[in-house]
Amino acid sequence: MAHELPYIAAIDEAITLEMQRDDTVLYFGQNMATTENEPYVDAFGKDRVRVTPISETAEIGMAVGAALAGFRPVVELYMAEFMLVAMDQVLNEAPRFRSMSGGQVKVPLVLKAGYGFTAGWAGQHTGTISSLFMGVPGLKVVVPSTAADAKGLMATAIRDDNPVVYLHHYLLTLEHGEVPDGEYLVPFGQAAIRREGGDVTIVATGWMVDRALGAAERLAAEGIQAEVIDPRTLAPLDTQTILESVDKTGRLVLVDQATRHASVASVIAGEVAEYGFSSLKAPIVQVTALDATIPYSEPLEAWVLPNEDKIVAAVQQVLGTAPVTA
Amino acid sequence: MSAPKGVKELDRDRLVWMYTQMLRIREFEERVKRTFVEHPGVIRGHTHLGDGAEASIVGSIATLGPDDQFFATYRCHGYPIARGTDTKAMMAEIYGRKDGLCKGIGGSMHLADVSNGFLGTSGIVAAGIPHATGAAWAAQIRKRGQVVLCFFGDGASKQGAFSESLNIASLWKLPIVYVMENNGYNVHTRSEQEDANRAAGEDLSVKAKAFSMPGVTIDGLDPIAVYETVGAAVARARAGGGPTLVESVMYRLSAHGNLIAPPGVPLHYPEHEAIEKFGAPEEYEAALKGDPVPAFRGRLVADGTLSAEEAERIAGDVREEMQAAVTFGLASPFPDVETALEYVYA
Amino acid sequence: MKASPLDGEQALRLLATMWRIRLFEERVGQLKRADDVHGLVHLSTGQEGVAAAVCSQLRDDDPVYSGHRAHGHAIAKGAPLDRLMAELMGRDGGLCRGLGGSMHVVDVEHGFMGATGVVGGNIPIALGSALAARRLGRDSVAVVFFGDGAVQAGQFNETVNLATLWRLPLILVCENNGFAEFTPRSAHTNVERVSDVVAPYDVERDTVDGNDVVAVWDAFGRYLASARGGRGPFLLECLTYRLGGHYEGDPGKYREALAAADWQAKDPILRLQRHGIAQGWFAADVLPALESEAAEAVEQAVRFGRESPFPPVELIEAMVYADA
């Protein structure tokens, strides 16, 4: 059975269920647990749920320490860019301890952070910086695009024995979706095929998934059937599903809200160029944000980001019905 | 002498044990250093030795119970030695071998021995301070009376991670003792060149005021003073009284670490910075004269705790132990290459 | 340079500035609801006193940095209302040509070096400005505004150590309203006074009522004179009170709060007016003009903003890197 929930509430549901199930799960961060009647504090008490000062290095470092000591912390970071303050702990500590210790320890923790605040939140809050985390061995990165996946991926993230960067898209916060009741786990490394089609493969993540589906609708009216794939996790990345789709369609458009270089789009492009070359009937096209600090002004902000029009144009390009330009 | 409240008295056996651990650390570190000369090429990368810090290391570790935990820095050899970690496995680790403590994957700066409460080491200055603080939070939740010792150098106290962690530990009254080993240097920089308190001639323990935390400065060359002060802080933490900052003043007898050099240049230990860089050989000479290991031996022999013969016997045993560690390390094969991928994910 | 006490002429200038800030912020709140101004906006309504008392004593070549609640500081430092409003509307005529927005306002001409969206992010940068001033042999002074939440961030402590070690002309101004975002100070630290956080360091520090413009003027003026003479750093903790929520919600709530009796006793504008009248600096009848002039300036700013075009898209790429 299922029930309807907004995306953000689905995440809370997962955290709550996991904290009920396993009393080693902790939840802490800034601006929470400050009053007596907050649901997490009421349910799980002040040992496990705590507020911190503005101290990202200590917050994430403490999560590492608590994880080493056998707990499973979830750190509420609110915005991905705040992780940048503590990048040593995120990239150089959490993912490396297991290896460096020769497997003696594990570091099960979840760094929960919103991203993609493209609503005039301006240059320092609006980036899609998932690529910074993707290439780090030992670190997992998940990007749910639906309420159900938000729940299932958070549950899996908490149960995973590795550090996980859990990026939830700001613009999806209030998007409602059908969410399975009770325990619900979505495995990592398993892409979801959101729409089937035989003419072109479109891969998109986060908020871009709906933009891709919108583009697919418009293309269908022109007789073009697009297959839309949502990887759901960036590390591990399900390249297999993408390769199978490209084998069917021969054409690939990659949509990513991140800037072009070192984005998941460019990673997938590299994988497909290497392992799926013989399936390709046309060059791979990437639709990404332009390489700029996201501007504040509304029309400029919109202009630098991928949108439905750009996706449609990219499909037309890859089908040879539009000119190819660099 | 009577120990502070909550601190167990040091009987003869314990005192002899302390001296033995100090000597074990000294001999181990000497053998690491000698490896660069006797077996060039065996140790790669960076090592950092704790010679000079033995009194502080052992005095601190001696306060721990079996369930307690500790974190250190890239200069991490001494603590697990005092805690009982197998020195053969440690040397093999430093040599990058299969039988190493961390299977050869970590190396000198990243030792871990979970069974002994040594949960893993970061090589980044101050990064272990939040780790230890998180482990202390875990200890607080468990309510088993565990305490965490967090070791770091004076250099780390300028990092944001230090102030953020101590603030939270104080606020949450975490069961942790922060032991700042002040050896007067941060890599090749003297403390007064980078620390406003030191430049003003102050003890660094004054930094605790910023966190409403007790701070105390002690002679890190006296293992009993260290034991009593850290022991009292540990007892306080265990009883729920919250954290303490202990500044343990000492001197490191080796250079910061082995030479950092590009391929082709043999690695070795240069002279201490006081000589090489600052032109202050008399500072170094004075530190040698204050060497805590022979000083403690002399003290124990003088007051009859230890006879000269026993001291010799201990020295012989320790030399043998560390020779065995070197032999073991050299004989241990390199790990299978696939090991590199085995522990990336749990 | 010697600190000079506040006089009638200065008090009127400060009042004019404070009215401009207050009415500007009120208008921004309305425009946010109307969607003329979009994104994250943090208003300084009620905190005008500190901005005015501090910035009015500074020169254009004294670099000032702020946090995310920066409009008041920018205005008090001399940023023109029209270009600030245009910036909040995302227009080409804005201070940052629409690229920055509320949290990234910059006005180099008047020495407002920037706001930031990351708490404490500008504190080390202000340190750099102070270092530069010293290296260049100038008597300019760097000032950074931040809230009490920033004091627990590592960057604050790193900065204090270096500023003290090098004795730099840096004045740290903390607006302590007892809250960091939605969390009370007691949940952040057990050190109640921000000035106690620098207790280990030989930093001259003071705590004043941030809504008492005269007190802020005097305390800051003393530090400024000292800093120009080559001393530093300094910490001035200004106890303030934040009206309304963390970021902008309902301007009606602000109006309500401003009208409340207990606030009227604290209001920096009303207090300075009462003080000035009591001192014989001015009569009550000159005061309404200050408010109405400010209102007119704000309306002009709104008109300017609305008439300013959106920036061209080519600007984006052009701004990524500085040209060789």
Side-chain angles (χ1 to χ4, degrees), chain B residues 226-311:
Chain B
V226 174
Y227 171 77
E228 290 183 344
T229 308
V230 174
V234 166
R236 196 176 94 87
R238 212 185 292 289
T244 308
L245 174 63
V246 178
E247 177 193 11
S248 181
V249 179
M250 64 183 71
Y251 199 88
R252 100 170 122 62
L253 293 174
S254 289
H256 162 71
N258 57 276
L259 192 73
I260 296 172
V265 179
L267 300 182
H268 65 279
Y269 264 80
E271 299 276 21
H272 192 284
E273 288 77 8
I275 303 166
E276 282 262 289
K277 187 171 173 191
F278 292 100
E282 66 287 347
E283 177 192 295
Y284 187 74
E285 291 306 313
L288 275 182
K289 288 203 180 73
D291 186 333
V293 177
F296 196 50
R297 173 191 154 134
R299 187 168 157 189
L300 294 180
V301 168
D303 71 17
T305 310
L306 195 61
S307 72
E309 292 72 36
E310 274 176 289

Side-chain angles (χ1 to χ4, degrees), chain B residues 146-189:
Chain B
Q146 290 166 292
V147 173
V148 177
L149 278 187
C150 179
F151 297 98
F152 51 95
D154 50 285
S157 66
K158 267 64 70 182
Q159 273 275 22
F162 168 82
S163 61
E164 289 184 7
S165 301
L166 268 66
N167 173 59
I168 293 175
S170 177
L171 182 65
W172 294 1
K173 283 182 116 68
L174 293 180
I176 183 167
V177 179
Y178 294 101
V179 181
M180 182 197 323
E181 292 171 346
N182 182 356
N183 60 20
Y185 285 82
N186 167 22
V187 191
H188 304 146
T189 304

Side-chain angles (χ1 to χ4, degrees), chain A residues 8 11-12 15 27 74-80 83 110-114 154 164-168:
Chain A
I8 200 71
I11 302 173
D12 275 323
I15 297 173
Y27 188 27
V74 177
V75 190
E76 178 59 73
L77 289 152
Y78 295 100
M79 302 185 203
M83 276 198 270
V110 179
L111 303 177
K112 172 177 178 278
M154 175 55 84
V164 178
V165 175
Y166 180 99
L167 299 170
H168 55 100

Side-chain angles (χ1 to χ4, degrees), chain A residues 11-165:
Chain A
I11 302 173
D12 275 323
E13 193 168 274
I15 297 173
T16 303
L17 287 170
E18 291 306 304
M19 290 186 79
Q20 282 168 357
R21 176 185 170 272
D22 178 353
D23 63 13
T24 68
V25 180
L26 311 174
Y27 188 27
F28 69 114
Q30 297 167 32
N31 293 301
M32 48 186 288
T34 53
T35 61
E36 285 313 313
N37 51 2
E38 283 178 33
Y40 282 106
V41 177
D42 283 347
F44 305 110
K46 293 202 159 180
D47 267 356
R48 296 171 66 192
V49 182
R50 293 193 180 181
V51 61
T52 66
I54 303 172
S55 301
E56 286 84 4
T57 301
E59 292 165 51
I60 300 176
M62 285 177 67
V64 172
L68 293 172
F71 283 81
R72 310 185 80 89
V74 177
V75 190
E76 178 59 73
L77 289 152
Y78 295 100
M79 302 185 203
E81 268 102 346
F82 296 158
M83 276 198 270
L84 300 178
V85 181
M87 274 311 245
D88 173 68
Q89 293 292 342
V90 179
L91 298 195
N92 205 16
E93 310 287 338
R96 296 184 171 172
F97 257 65
R98 178 172 176 74
S99 240
M100 295 193 302
S101 70
Q104 289 181 65
V105 298
K106 54 187 171 101
V107 187
L109 59 86
V110 179
L111 303 177
K112 172 177 178 278
Y115 79 103
F117 293 80
T118 49
W121 288 39
Q124 286 182 319
H125 287 72
T126 312
T128 299
I129 56 171
S130 40
S131 58
L132 295 178
F133 311 108
M134 248 168 33
V136 182
L139 193 61
K140 299 194 178 178
V141 185
V142 317
V143 284
S145 71
T146 66
D149 282 348
K151 176 177 177 179
L153 288 173
M154 175 55 84
T156 303
I158 292 173
R159 293 195 200 186
D160 198 301
D161 281 341
N162 299 284
V164 178
V165 175

Side-chain angles (χ1 to χ4, degrees), chain C residues 229-251:
Chain C
R231 305 198 30 226
F234 304 91
L235 173 67
L236 183 62
E237 178 184 11
C238 302
L239 301 177
T240 64
Y241 179 88
R242 189 178 71 208
L243 282 176
H246 169 67
Y247 39 77
E248 166 47 15
D250 187 343

Side-chain angles (χ1 to χ4, degrees), chain C residues 47-287:
Chain C
Q47 295 183 202
E48 305 88 351
V50 176
V54 168
C55 295
S56 307
Q57 300 189 65
L58 297 171
R59 308 186 306 233
D60 281 349
D61 71 324
D62 293 318
V64 168
Y65 293 83
S66 181
H68 50 264
R69 193 179 304 281
H71 303 168
H73 305 133
I75 292 169
K77 194 63 173 51
L81 294 189
D82 51 7
R83 297 198 59 208
L84 180 60
M85 186 62 82
E87 183 59 31
L88 301 186
M89 293 177 169
R91 307 301 172 108
D92 201 4
L95 285 167
C96 307
R97 303 192 64 185
L99 296 179
S102 169
M103 292 183 289
H104 307 292
V105 172
V106 180
D107 182 6
V108 173
E109 191 189 340
H110 294 102
F112 186 72
M113 301 309 290
T116 181
V118 179
V119 171
N122 271 342
I123 297 175
I125 301 177
L127 176 68
S129 283
L131 178 66
R134 173 63 55 75
R135 287 275 172 279
L136 294 168
R138 298 191 179 141
D139 70 344
S140 47
V141 174
V143 177
V144 58
F145 291 98
F146 50 92
D148 48 286
V151 169
Q152 283 66 244
Q155 351 191 29
F156 175 78
N157 290 274
E158 294 182 5
T159 298
V160 170
N161 174 63
L162 285 175
T164 308
L165 182 71
W166 295 339
R167 289 282 156 213
L168 292 179
L170 173 67
I171 305 180
L172 303 153
V173 182
C174 179
E175 289 169 300
N176 182 355
N177 61 19
F179 273 82
E181 290 171 292
F182 311 102
T183 312
R185 183 161 179 79
S186 56
H188 279 231
T189 179
N190 53 14
V191 179
E192 198 189 317
R193 280 273 167 273
V194 165
S195 40
D196 288 339
V197 174
V198 303
Y201 299 98
D202 180 26
V203 175
E204 257 195 78
R205 55 192 183 268
D206 204 357
T207 301
V208 296
D209 175 355
N211 286 351
D212 178 350
V213 174
V214 177
V216 179
W217 173 276
D218 284 345
F220 185 80
R222 278 198 321 274
Y223 286 166
L224 181 62
S226 199
R228 292 224 193 281
R231 305 198 30 226
F234 304 91
L235 173 67
L236 183 62
E237 178 184 11
C238 302
L239 301 177
T240 64
Y241 179 88
R242 189 178 71 208
L243 282 176
H246 169 67
Y247 39 77
E248 166 47 15
D250 187 343
K253 287 215 179 98
Y254 277 100
R255 285 218 149 254
E256 247 175 68
L258 285 170
D262 65 341
W263 171 255
Q264 301 260 312
K266 295 191 187 83
D267 189 318
I269 294 178
L270 296 178
R271 284 168 77 178
L272 183 59
Q273 287 180 171
R274 289 194 288 268
H275 181 80
I277 290 167
Q279 294 291 308
W281 288 343
F282 41 74
D285 58 16
V286 312
L287 298 174

